[in-house]
């Protein structure tokens, strides 16, 4: 089983992208308070998706929710320079609480709003960050540009993460011993 | 999102200590069994006894309390915390930074009891590590940066663990080995056995930290922005945070609810979905606690109990508000804790199921119905006229839902009703497929039948024929209403009422009933054919004949049993067919050609019919050569093949026509070969046929007859009286050449006109001579071989006869074992000797059963072995 946490500055679209992936549609959201949580079935595994709040006042809590994460999504708004810098400034440090071999995926959001003029972050900067945050060997650079409005790259992003951490074959059976097999965030109701 | 989960019930009202004037205020409370202890701001501990009563009618709970005693601690400081240890009969008191103990009953200080000083707060281990019931584990927070764990027995306080912290601890909870505590800016969890520490998260000083134990190893912590964070002993969180109010004073947990007190409200949150469920206005609250299964909340002057609303009632409330997910979550959790029995849980599932059903969330409804094993009749009964009227079912009481039927739910909207029906159909199909012995099979099957009739009549035949229980009058009525007459007929025949079924089908074919799903006339034919029931055939044969004569005959033919072949029966049948020429002909064909019944009448009748056919074709204004040819072939074949018809009768008719070939066949039957061949040669002029005639009308065994016929034919060819005899020379030669072995060469030579050249006959003559020579040589060879054989046999016989056998006294009969008294006896070639009277066969050895030659002339004693090579 796997814990995936998504972090990033306020209003970059974290809640929206998770909602897009789970519900397969785009929906207006309200700013997240504290954190929220979704469960996703992946072959034989349960995946806990933790959505954190981006507002500065919740930073301390985010590191708490980061604990034990096998994968982390660092999200920034492709049209906002600040949101990208916040990843280095505020969120990089929080990853300490995650698993040692935590997969860190850098995700630029709101691709549908990006034009030639308003793109705030050159892709190579984001890619450099992605390269810098991952120590393990990866086949594909963990960097995605997504749009929750159109759904572009959203499924690919999550499937990339799950497949990397918990490989399954086409019929959904586990292939090999998963890389991150720490128990995490299963909810006992 | 509100729901009534708890009720506030006064427990101790207008708390007064001394007099009205004394402004004593409650600071903390503790309860244990019937005892309630109150700690006041003016250093008193007051002891009450409390009785709870439940009103039988309303189910409401009330409390009456009685003050037992009080104790002044004498330091004029507020009593901050009270905790009881009932097994030790001790009350632990935190007052003036000192933790001390007193007797629970008389409130007297424990003599010589130790005290712990510089304490800011303390808590009791909810799941003590030490198993002894006569000890209590507590953890105290000290002013100097440390926490201490003590084991307390009746008269001793024993330090077990000293933990230093980075700054003074403020709040903590201990469960098992997990101690969760807060300092002024950080929550941590420490394992008191291994001292392993885990920092949880930091906060700023404006927050008043609280730590509440939820279950073993799980804590609830107050966090910035009015959040309640869940934390597990491993430092992680299993649930998203709660959102509660600011200025939190006190928190308690009562599964599955978290109760939070601030200065104005008690708010109630579910840990299942982290939502706030209820909010009770409560002014001036100071302490809220969960004591041994009971919840009390105190304000400065009053103590109230928070009485949980029974789960069932909460669930019904939720259901009446259609909050199905919450209801299911709550029910599931109550089932787990045992607060809700399985049956009640299933009832909730069903209620939710019906709510989902009404909302057309059919997938959810389906799963719930299946998982709670719904009595299908509950569901079927929602559909008008779907349950058989004889079914004694009445809906559950109290009802699972408030729907009258789906017509009401669908507001008479036909397309909606259809959607509901589709659901029922799918659901029942699934139930039906799930096992062979489903409960209420009859109801399920008849409902399925009715649904198919309305939604998918095409599926009815397969359904009916797979042996379902749906043969009730009300089902048939329903089918009738929907025009499914074919289905009704199928139902009848599945239940053995073929007559009824056929009646309906014939009515459909006749157009009296309308049903497009009926496959058509051929279906009836197939049906009757497969049925193999004489009576049914007889009942319907007239109708069948009216519809299609040849099909009708096929039915008759396929129903031929040995019985029906009897003559009487066949005659009756033929009589019935008399009005139907096609049927008659086909049936006769069957009798004559296929069954080969040796009855003259049939053969004659059929011949006449064939002949009529031919004549009719020939006399038609536009004769069709091919048709005539094939009709004649049939006639000829019959005339040739059969020997039973009345030749004279047919001949009489044929003679008047030009059917020479047929005529020839008839003459042949009368053995008037001369006439026949004359016709063939002179009228038909078909020499091949003439030749064939000779072969066909004589058997290969009767070479004499065959020879005669050939000679006859030859003589016809050679008849010089005939005006065309010149043209017959060729056929004559051909005949001779092809069939020379049937001719007697000498006779032929006599018949041949003298003027023929030898050249014409040379082929015939040479091969005749060759054949005769060959014959003579073969005969010679035969004779010589036979002679050799004869000699051989003779020699064998002499050899056998000249041998002798001596019969001595000690030789006994091999069969009866007795002496031989007669001079005659039997001896077999294998040496067995027996009395003549003892043997049964000369050819079978009576001892070994071996079979010797069976030639009638040979006796057992002179059997000879199979003759050797005679050459
Ligand atoms: N056009 C567009 N809008 C988006 C996209 N993703 C998010 N938004 C909008 O951005 C706003 C913020 O989205 P949220 O998902 O609430 O952002 P968040 O990161 O969860 O914010 P916090 O919870 O405050 O940390 C919303 O109004 C979304 O509708 C996107 O891909 N395209
Ligand atoms: Mg959010």
């Amino acid at each position: 089983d796997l814990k995936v946490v998504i972090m990033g500055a306020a209003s970059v679209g974290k809640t929206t992208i998770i909602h897009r992936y789970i519900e397969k549609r785009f929906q207006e959201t309200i700013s997240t308070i504290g954190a929220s949580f979704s469960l996703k079935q992946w072959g034989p595994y349960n995946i806990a998706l933790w959505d954190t709040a981006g507002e500065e006042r919740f930073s301390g809590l985010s590191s708490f929710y980061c604990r034990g994460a096998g994968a982390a999504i660092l999200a920034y708004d492709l049209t906002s320079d600040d949101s990208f810098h916040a990843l280095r400034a505020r969120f990089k440090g929080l990853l300490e609480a995650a698993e040692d071999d935590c997969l860190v995926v850098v995700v630029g959001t709101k691709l549908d709003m990006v034009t030639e003029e308003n793109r705030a972050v050159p892709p190579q900067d984001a890619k450099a960050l992605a390269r810098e945050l991952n120590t393990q060997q990866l086949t594909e650079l963990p960097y995605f540009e997504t749009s929750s409005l159109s759904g572009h790259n959203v499924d690919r992003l999550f499937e990339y993460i799950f497949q990397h951490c918990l490989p399954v074959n086409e019929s959904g059976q586990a292939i090999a011993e998963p890389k991150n097999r720490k128990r995490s965030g299963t909810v006992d109701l | 999102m509100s729901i009534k989960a708890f009720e506030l019930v006064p427990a101790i009202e207008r708390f007064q200590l001394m007099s009205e004037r004394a402004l004593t205020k409650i600071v903390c409370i503790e309860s244990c069994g019937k005892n309630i202890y109150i700690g006041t701001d003016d250093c008193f501990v007051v002891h009450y006894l409390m009785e709870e009563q439940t009103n039988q009618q309303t189910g409401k709970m009330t409390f009456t309390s009685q003050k037992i005693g009080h104790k002044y601690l004498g330091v004029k400081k507020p009593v901050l915390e009270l905790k009881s240890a009932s097994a030790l009969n001790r009350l632990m008191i935190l007052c003036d930074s000192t933790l001390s103990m007193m007797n629970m009953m008389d409130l007297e200080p424990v003599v010589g009891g130790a005290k712990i000083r510089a304490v800011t707060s303390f808590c009791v281990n909810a799941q003590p590590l030490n198993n002894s019931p006569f000890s209590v584990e507590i953890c105290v927070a000290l002013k100097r940066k440390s926490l201490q764990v003590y084991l307390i027995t009746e008269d001793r306080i024993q330090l077990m663990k000293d933990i230093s912290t980075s700054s003074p601890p403020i709040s903590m909870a201990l469960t098992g080995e997990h101690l969760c505590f807060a300092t002024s800016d950080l929550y941590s969890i420490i394992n008191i056995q291994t001292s392993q520490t885990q920092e949880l998260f930091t906060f700023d000083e404006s927050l008043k930290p609280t730590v509440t134990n939820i279950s073993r190893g799980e804590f609830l912590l107050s966090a910035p922005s009015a959040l309640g964070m869940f934390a597990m002993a491993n430092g992680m969180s299993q649930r998203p945070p709660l959102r509660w109010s600011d200025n939190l004073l006190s928190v308690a947990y009562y599964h599955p609810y978290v109760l939070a007190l601030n200065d104005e409200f008690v708010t109630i949150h579910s840990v299942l979905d982290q939502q706030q469920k209820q909010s009770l206005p409560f002014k001036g609250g100071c302490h809220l606690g969960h004591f041994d299964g009971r919840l009390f909340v105190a304000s400065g002057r009053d103590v109230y109990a928070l009485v949980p609303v029974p789960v069932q009632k909460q669930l019904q409330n939720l259901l009446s508000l259609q909050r199905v997910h919450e209801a299911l979550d709550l029910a599931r959790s109550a089932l787990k804790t045992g607060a809700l029995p399985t049956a009640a849980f299933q009832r909730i599932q069903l209620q939710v199921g019906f709510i989902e059903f009404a909302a057309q969330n059919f997938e959810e409804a389906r799963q719930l119905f299946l998982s709670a094993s719904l009595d299908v009749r509950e569901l079927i009964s929602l559909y008008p006229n779907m349950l058989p009227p004889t079914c004694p079912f009445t809906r559950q009481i109290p009802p699972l839902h408030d729907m009258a039927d789906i017509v009401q739910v669908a507001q008479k909207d036909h397309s909606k009703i259809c959607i509901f029906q589709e659901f029922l159909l799918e659901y029942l199909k699934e139930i039906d497929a799930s096992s062979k012995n489903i409960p209420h099979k009859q109801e399920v099957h008849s409902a399925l039948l009715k649904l198919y009739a309305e939604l998918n009549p095409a599926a009815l035949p397969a359904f009916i024929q797979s042996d379902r229980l749906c043969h009730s009058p009300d089902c048939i009525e329903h089918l009738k209403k929907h025009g499914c007459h074919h289905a009704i007929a199928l139902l009848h025949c599945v239940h053995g009422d073929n007559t009824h079924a056929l009646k309906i089908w014939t009515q459909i074919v006749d157009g009296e009933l309308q049903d497009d799903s009926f496959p058509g006339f051929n279906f009836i034919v197939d049906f009757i054919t497969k049925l193999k029931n004489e009576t049914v055939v007889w009942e319907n044969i007239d109708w069948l004949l009216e519809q299609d004569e040849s099909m009708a005959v096929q039915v008759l033919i396929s129903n031929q049993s040995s019985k029906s072949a009897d003559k009487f029966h066949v005659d009756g049948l033929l009589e019935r067919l008399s009005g139907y020429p096609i049927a008659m002909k086909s049936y006769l064909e069957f009798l004559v050609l296929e069954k080969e019944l040796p009855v003259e009448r049939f053969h004659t009748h059929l011949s006449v019919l064939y002949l009529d056919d031919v004549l009719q074709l020939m006399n038609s204004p536009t004769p069709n050569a091919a048709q005539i040819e094939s009709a004649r072939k049939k006639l000829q074949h019959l005339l040739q093949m059969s020997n039973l018809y009345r030749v004279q009768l047919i001949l009489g008719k044929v003679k008047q026509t030009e059917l020479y070939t047929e005529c020839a066949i008839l003459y042949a039957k009368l053995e008037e070969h001369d006439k026949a061949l004359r016709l063939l040669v002179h009228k038909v002029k078909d020499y091949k046929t003439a030749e064939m005639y000779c072969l066909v009308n004589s058997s290969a065994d009767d070479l004499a007859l065959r020879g005669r016929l050939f000679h006859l034919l030859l003589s016809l060819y050679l008849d010089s009286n005939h005006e065309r005899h010149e043209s017959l020379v060729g056929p004559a030669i051909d005949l001779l050449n092809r069939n020379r072995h049937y001719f007697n060469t000498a006779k032929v030579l006599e018949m041949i006109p003298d003027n023929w050249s030898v050249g014409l006959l040379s082929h015939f003559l040479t091969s005749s001579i060759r054949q005769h020579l060959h014959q003579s040589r073969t005969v010679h060879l035969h004779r010589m071989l036979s002679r050799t054989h004869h000699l051989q046999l003779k020699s064998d016989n002499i050899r056998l006869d000249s041998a002798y056998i001596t019969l001595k006294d000690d030789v006994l009969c091999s069969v009866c074992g007795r002496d031989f008294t007669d001079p005659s006896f039997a001896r077999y070639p294998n040496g067995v000797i027996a009395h003549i009277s003892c043997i049964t066969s000369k050819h079978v050895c009576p001892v070994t059963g071996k079979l010797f030659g069976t030639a009638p002339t040979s006796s057992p004693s002179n059997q000879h072995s199979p003759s050797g090579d005679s050459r």
Side-chain angles (χ1 to χ4, degrees):
Chain A
D1 292 10
L2 177 68
K3 176 172 178 176
V4 180
V5 64
I6 178 165
M7 296 189 295
S11 297
V12 298
K14 300 182 291 295
T15 308
T16 312
I17 200 172
I18 289 189
H19 193 269
R20 173 85 212 186
Y21 178 62
I22 303 272
E23 305 282 336
K24 306 278 172 236
R25 60 195 168 86
F26 179 82
Q27 199 187 33
E28 277 301 325
T29 52
I30 52 166
S31 182
T32 307
I33 297 187
S36 75
F37 167 86
S38 316
L39 254 189
K40 172 81 189 171
Q41 203 72 30
W42 174 253
Y45 306 111
N46 290 318
I47 288 176
L49 288 172
W50 283 89
D51 177 23
T52 62
E55 277 180 48
E56 191 108 36
R57 62 186 167 121
F58 295 113
S59 282
L61 305 188
S62 296
S63 98
F64 172 55
Y65 284 119
C66 210
R67 182 160 292 145
I73 299 172
L74 292 189
Y76 70 96
D77 182 342
L78 285 166
T79 63
S80 154
D81 201 20
D82 290 346
S83 73
F84 181 68
H85 292 309
L87 294 185
R88 267 187 217 280
R90 275 170 56 203
F91 296 101
K92 190 179 151 188
L94 303 182
L95 292 171
E96 304 253 303
E99 294 286 303
D100 291 341
D101 56 355
C102 177
L103 171 72
V104 183
V105 186
V106 177
V107 171
T109 62
K110 309 192 190 176
L111 184 62
D112 55 282
M113 309 222 302
V114 175
T115 59
E116 286 291 321
E117 301 87 57
N118 73 356
R119 183 184 273 273
V121 184
Q124 55 269 30
D125 290 7
K127 285 182 184 164
L129 179 65
R131 219 165 292 145
E132 170 191 327
L133 291 176
N134 287 284
T135 45
Q136 46 185 322
Q137 280 295 318
L138 295 167
T139 48
E140 188 180 349
L141 188 67
Y143 170 71
F144 293 85
E145 296 187 356
T146 65
S147 163
S148 305
L149 187 66
S150 71
H152 179 78
N153 257 351
V154 173
D155 287 355
R156 245 194 79 213
L157 160 68
F158 285 97
E159 272 152 29
Y160 165 81
I161 295 172
F162 302 163
Q163 191 64 32
H164 174 266
C165 298
L166 301 168
V168 297
N169 63 18
E170 262 156 46
S171 52
Q173 281 149 346
I175 292 173
E177 195 55 6
K179 284 184 186 138
N180 294 309
R181 63 197 105 58
K182 288 272 151 57
R183 275 193 63 82
S184 61
T186 46
V187 167
D188 181 9
L189 295 175
Chain B
M1 289 301 267
S2 85
I3 177 204
K4 200 165 165 191
F6 292 91
E7 276 177 311
L8 270 177
V9 179
I12 302 168
E13 281 179 291
R14 288 186 305 283
F15 166 74
Q16 292 166 350
L17 195 55
M18 298 297 163
S19 66
E20 289 279 352
R21 283 182 299 123
L23 292 173
T24 303
K25 270 195 178 156
I26 301 175
V27 176
C28 63
I29 50 177
E30 165 70 348
S31 165
C32 172
K34 289 180 174 174
N35 305 295
I36 288 204
Y37 299 92
I38 292 174
T40 71
D41 61 345
D42 51 2
C43 211
F44 277 93
V45 173
V46 189
H47 180 196
Y48 281 86
L49 258 189
M50 189 162 59
E51 292 290 340
E52 70 177 50
Q53 290 100 21
T54 311
N55 184 314
Q56 297 295 343
Q57 265 120 53
T58 60
K60 282 241 185 307
M61 207 182 253
T62 50
F63 295 89
T64 49
S65 53
Q66 184 197 352
K67 188 176 146 189
I68 302 291
H70 64 264
K71 177 83 183 172
Y72 178 57
L73 300 180
V75 285
K76 284 195 180 153
K77 292 275 171 62
V79 177
L80 293 177
E81 284 178 47
L82 287 171
K83 289 273 148 47
S84 63
S86 55
L88 310 179
N89 198 24
R90 291 288 177 269
L91 193 64
M92 293 172 272
I93 304 145
L94 175 61
C95 180
D96 191 22
S97 304
T98 307
L99 181 67
S100 59
M101 292 199 282
M102 57 170 56
N103 185 302
M104 262 176 80
M105 291 304 139
D106 57 15
L107 306 185
E108 287 306 317
V110 178
V111 184
K115 293 182 176 181
I116 309 169
R117 299 190 194 280
V119 173
T120 55
S121 172
F122 77 104
C123 70
V124 177
N125 193 345
Q127 262 131 357
L129 300 168
N130 188 310
N131 283 328
S132 161
F134 300 104
S135 67
V136 175
E137 287 167 24
I138 62 163
C139 173
V140 299
L142 299 178
K143 280 183 182 156
R144 55 184 164 87
K145 307 172 193 172
S146 80
L147 289 158
Q148 289 181 329
V149 179
Y150 287 94
L151 183 69
I152 298 186
T153 51
E154 212 171 3
D155 47 9
R156 270 166 56 96
I157 294 183
Q158 184 188 343
L159 179 65
M160 295 178 60
K161 184 97 189 170
D162 200 340
I163 302 154
S164 57
T165 57
S166 57
S167 60
I170 296 172
S171 172
M172 70 271 172
L174 176 60
T175 159
E177 68 269 38
H178 304 297
L179 172 64
C180 180
F181 66 95
T183 59
S184 58
D185 62 352
L186 176 70
Y187 283 106
S188 314
I189 286 184
I190 182 164
N191 183 318
I192 57 170
Q193 278 178 329
T194 62
S195 296
Q196 202 177 14
T197 313
Q198 176 96 66
E199 288 184 5
L200 296 179
F201 58 89
T202 54
F203 50 89
D204 62 62
E205 325 248 317
S206 62
L207 179 85
K208 175 183 175 242
T210 60
V211 181
T212 310
N213 179 216
I214 294 287
S215 61
R216 188 179 183 118
E218 186 172 13
F219 301 93
L220 178 60
L221 319 171
S222 64
S225 311
L227 291 176
M229 306 269 286
F230 293 92
M232 302 289 293
N234 64 5
M236 291 203 256
S237 187
Q238 265 196 341
R239 311 172 205 267
L242 295 178
R243 295 187 58 198
W244 51 28
S245 37
D246 288 318
N247 306 324
L248 205 63
L249 292 168
S250 195
V251 177
Y253 178 69
Y254 186 96
H255 183 82
Y257 295 111
V258 169
L259 296 92
L261 174 73
N262 72 358
D263 38 16
E264 288 189 63
F265 292 99
V266 175
T267 51
I268 291 152
H269 312 259
S270 167
V271 298
L272 302 177
D273 58 6
Q274 293 84 40
Q275 300 300 315
Q276 179 172 321
K277 298 293 172 184
Q278 189 182 3
S279 149
L280 293 161
F282 192 80
K283 276 241 154 50
C286 61
H287 187 196
L288 168 72
H290 180 181
F291 309 98
D292 264 349
R294 280 198 263 182
L295 288 160
F296 290 105
V297 57
S299 66
R301 298 186 65 88
D302 304 296
V303 177
Y304 287 83
L306 280 160
V307 179
V309 173
V311 179
Q312 278 284 10
K313 210 162 161 192
Q314 293 183 43
L315 288 169
Q316 293 312 326
N317 276 336
L318 284 172
L319 289 178
S320 66
L321 296 167
Q322 311 257 315
R323 283 156 59 183
V324 291
H325 296 294
E326 287 170 76
L328 276 181
D329 281 350
L330 182 61
R332 243 176 251 131
S333 124
L335 177 73
K336 231 177 187 173
T337 59
L340 199 65
T342 311
F345 174 70
Q346 290 191 336
R347 200 185 138 78
I348 298 293
Q349 285 188 304
L350 293 181
Q351 284 182 294
V352 173
F354 278 109
I355 291 173
E356 299 281 24
F357 171 80
Q360 298 181 35
N361 297 329
F362 292 123
E363 180 49 30
E364 287 81 357
R366 184 189 76 92
Q367 285 176 3
L368 288 162
F369 288 159
L370 288 177
S371 122
S373 357
L374 170 73
D375 179 343
V376 277
R377 296 175 303 175
E378 282 283 354
L379 185 61
I380 302 176
S381 75
L382 277 170
Y383 294 72
N385 301 324
M386 282 288 159
L387 275 183
T390 50
C391 171
F393 173 74
T394 49
R395 291 188 192 167
Q396 234 185 67
I397 296 171
L400 290 168
H401 53 81
D402 52 10
M403 291 176 269
D405 56 29
I406 54 149
V407 180
Q408 174 224 334
V409 177
Q411 294 163 328
K412 306 211 170 115
D413 175 344
H414 183 71
S415 61
K416 264 195 195 158
I417 292 179
C418 274
I419 297 174
F420 276 102
Q421 286 178 328
E422 294 277 2
F423 168 69
L424 183 63
L425 179 63
E426 290 308 316
Y427 184 77
L428 293 182
K429 270 201 309 206
E430 185 176 355
I431 295 268
D432 191 36
S434 63
S435 106
K436 267 218 149 62
N437 282 316
I438 51 167
H440 314 301
K441 206 174 190 168
Q442 168 120 37
E443 285 85 346
V444 171
H445 285 179
S446 50
L448 273 172
L449 180 86
K450 292 172 186 175
L451 287 165
Y452 277 127
E454 283 181 41
L455 302 172
N456 184 10
L460 272 172
F463 177 76
I464 289 169
Q465 279 160 345
S466 55
D467 197 17
R468 308 302 172 110
L469 305 173
C470 49
H471 187 51
S472 61
D474 104 279
C475 285
I476 292 178
E477 204 44 54
H478 194 93
L479 290 174
K480 224 179 241 167
K481 209 173 97 198
H482 288 86
C484 303
H485 302 289
H486 177 45
I488 300 178
L490 286 174
L491 255 184
H492 283 311
C493 84
V494 166
H495 289 83
D497 190 350
N498 295 318
T499 316
H500 208 147
L502 276 165
K503 198 170 142 213
I504 293 174
W505 284 325
T506 52
Q507 280 178 326
I508 298 176
V509 172
D510 292 344
E512 288 165 41
L513 294 175
Q514 196 67 43
D515 184 352
D516 294 340
S517 67
F518 181 62
F521 176 71
N522 284 354
F523 178 86
I524 301 188
V525 173
D526 281 355
F527 178 76
I528 299 182
T529 308
K530 284 202 192 102
L531 207 55
K532 301 241 176 284
N533 180 329
E534 203 94 7
T535 330
V536 172
V537 175
W538 280 107
E539 276 169 6
N540 292 281
I541 192 64
D542 287 336
W543 184 83
L544 286 171
L545 284 167
E546 283 302 328
Q547 294 294 327
D548 183 334
E549 290 183 27
S550 47
M551 281 293 194
V553 171
Q554 286 313 310
V555 173
L556 284 174
I557 290 171
S558 61
N559 257 280
Q560 287 288 333
S561 59
S562 52
K563 181 174 149 260
S564 64
D566 89 53
K567 217 171 128 262
F568 171 74
H569 190 94
V570 173
D571 284 342
L573 188 58
L574 285 172
E575 202 169 301
R576 266 188 126 143
L577 295 180
S578 55
Y580 307 98
I582 301 173
M584 176 68 100
K585 196 167 78 185
S586 318
Y587 192 62
L588 282 172
E589 275 173 351
F590 166 71
L591 292 178
V592 171
L593 302 177
E594 217 158 291
K595 284 224 129 183
E596 302 180 357
L597 286 188
V599 179
E600 175 268 324
R601 266 177 305 119
F602 303 158
H603 288 240
T604 309
H605 197 160
L606 185 59
S607 311
V608 171
L609 287 178
Y610 275 177
L611 181 59
D612 288 350
D613 275 355
V614 174
L615 294 178
Q616 203 178 354
L617 283 169
M618 294 207 305
N619 294 335
S620 92
T622 53
N624 177 330
Q627 275 180 0
I628 295 175
E629 186 59 26
S630 95
R632 284 187 69 173
K633 277 268 135 58
K634 262 160 103 178
L635 175 60
Q636 290 165 7
H637 177 252
L638 176 65
L639 293 178
Q640 184 71 59
M641 169 231 76
S642 165
N643 290 319
L644 289 166
Y645 55 92
R646 278 160 56 200
V647 183
Q648 292 294 358
L649 181 102
I650 309 292
L651 186 59
K653 289 179 185 248
V654 172
K655 262 186 184 163
Q656 297 157 16
T657 68
E658 300 195 336
L659 300 172
Y660 301 116
T661 314
E662 289 79 356
C663 204
I665 296 171
L666 290 166
Y667 279 132
K669 291 288 169 189
L670 297 171
E671 300 196 7
E672 298 189 18
H673 302 300
D674 184 37
K675 283 185 184 167
L677 285 171
R678 226 174 258 281
L679 276 176
L680 290 175
V681 173
H682 297 313
K683 295 286 189 200
V684 188
K685 301 193 180 97
D686 183 345
Y687 311 117
K688 272 228 175 76
T689 312
E691 204 175 318
M692 275 308 288
Y693 178 97
C694 298
L695 290 170
V696 168
N697 287 289
S698 60
S699 82
D701 296 336
D702 193 354
L703 285 177
L705 175 60
R706 191 166 281 184
R708 241 187 10 254
L709 289 180
F710 275 105
H711 279 280
L712 186 60
L713 180 58
L714 183 66
S715 69
L716 281 175
Y717 285 151
L718 300 180
D719 185 0
S720 55
N721 296 331
H722 201 271
E723 78 269 22
R724 272 184 341 109
H725 79 271
E726 295 295 327
S727 64
L728 295 175
V729 173
I733 301 290
D734 280 350
L735 182 72
L736 284 170
N737 285 345
R738 265 206 294 273
N739 301 287
R740 61 171 179 277
H741 41 283
Y742 298 128
F743 285 100
N744 181 324
T745 318
K747 259 193 187 164
V748 171
L749 287 177
E750 268 172 36
M751 289 162 72
I752 297 290
D754 298 338
N755 54 350
W756 282 23
S757 70
V758 179
L760 270 175
L761 285 173
S762 68
H763 183 74
F764 171 71
L765 290 175
T766 38
S767 58
S768 279
I769 290 166
R770 204 173 277 159
Q771 187 193 348
H772 281 106
L773 264 176
H774 173 73
Q775 246 167 20
S776 123
R777 285 175 187 148
T778 315
V779 168
H780 188 70
L781 197 60
H782 265 288
R783 197 169 65 107
M784 297 323 273
L785 282 174
S786 299
R787 218 159 112 185
T788 322
H789 191 198
H790 174 72
L791 287 174
Q792 184 81 42
L793 287 181
K794 223 168 165 178
S795 130
D796 282 355
N797 210 358
I798 290 167
R799 191 167 42 78
L800 284 171
D801 278 352
S802 58
Y804 57 87
I805 301 148
T806 331
L807 192 66
K808 297 207 195 100
D809 284 350
D810 56 347
V811 178
L812 302 176
C813 169
S814 318
V815 179
C816 65
R818 278 195 285 263
D819 288 341
F820 287 94
T821 47
D822 276 2
S824 62
F825 59 90
R827 180 184 178 275
Y828 288 85
N830 58 355
V832 170
I833 294 175
H835 290 117
I836 303 277
S837 56
C838 285
I839 64 170
T840 47
S841 164
K842 285 193 232 171
H843 311 299
V844 182
C845 167
V847 178
T848 60
K850 185 169 177 191
L851 181 71
F852 300 104
T854 50
T857 49
S858 51
S859 69
S861 53
N862 60 6
Q863 275 288 343
H864 61 78
S865 57
S867 60
D869 193 1
S870 52
R871 260 172 240 192

